[in-house]
């Protein structure tokens, strides 16, 4: 499976989106970056796209955007995620929605 590779500019843009909030950390994942809260991923970098894990109502609204795509690494769609180009308008709102939603999930045990 060929994965798109992010550039340094993509990595910098992704890091700039990640909020400085309690429990939030950025870790490398499969040559990309991902942001976690209490061990649960709430957003990830995938090539030149930012992906977000959203609650059902927020996910429906995000998927209705013209610039939205399903997040389907390896052809397998991840049902609670949406992908948008880095630099698309409104990403800060999606970051907040994703963080708020994933913060409600039980923490994952430490690694």
């Amino acid at each position: 499976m060929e994965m798109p590779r992010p550039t340094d500019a993509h990595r910098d843009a992704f890091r700039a989106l990640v909020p400085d909030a309690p429990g939030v950390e950025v870790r490398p994942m499969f040559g990309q970056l991902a942001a976690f809260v209490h061990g649960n991923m709430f957003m990830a970098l995938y090539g030149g796209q930012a992906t977000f894990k959203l609650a059902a109502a927020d996910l429906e609204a995000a998927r209705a955007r013209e610039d939205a795509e399903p997040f389907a690494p390896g052809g397998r769609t991840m049902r609670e995620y949406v992908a948008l180009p880095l630099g698309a308008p409104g990403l800060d709102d999606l970051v907040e929605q994703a963080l708020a939603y994933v913060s409600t999930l039980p923490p994952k045990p430490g690694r």
Side-chain angles (χ1 to χ4, degrees):
M1 171 178 81
E2 182 103 11
M3 290 179 107
R5 294 288 174 212
T7 64
D8 287 340
H10 292 143
R11 287 183 186 92
D12 291 343
F14 178 80
R15 283 188 181 102
L17 284 172
V18 177
D20 182 17
V24 171
E25 66 176 322
V26 175
R27 298 191 305 241
M29 192 168 81
F30 306 117
Q32 315 286 329
L33 294 174
F36 297 82
V37 61
H38 307 298
N40 294 300
M41 186 171 73
F42 69 95
M43 61 185 282
L45 176 65
Y46 191 69
Q49 295 181 313
T51 66
F52 303 94
K53 183 173 185 170
L54 299 168
D58 293 332
L59 183 62
E60 185 177 330
R63 285 186 174 159
R65 294 173 49 138
E66 287 186 22
D67 55 354
E69 294 180 18
F71 179 45
R76 183 173 176 200
T77 300
M78 296 183 70
R79 60 182 167 81
E80 291 184 299
Y81 287 82
V82 65
L84 292 111
L86 281 169
L91 292 186
D92 288 333
D93 292 338
L94 292 174
V95 170
E96 288 179 26
Q97 292 168 1
L99 179 58
Y101 169 59
V102 175
S103 291
T104 68
L105 302 177
K108 289 216 174 158
R111 303 188 318 165

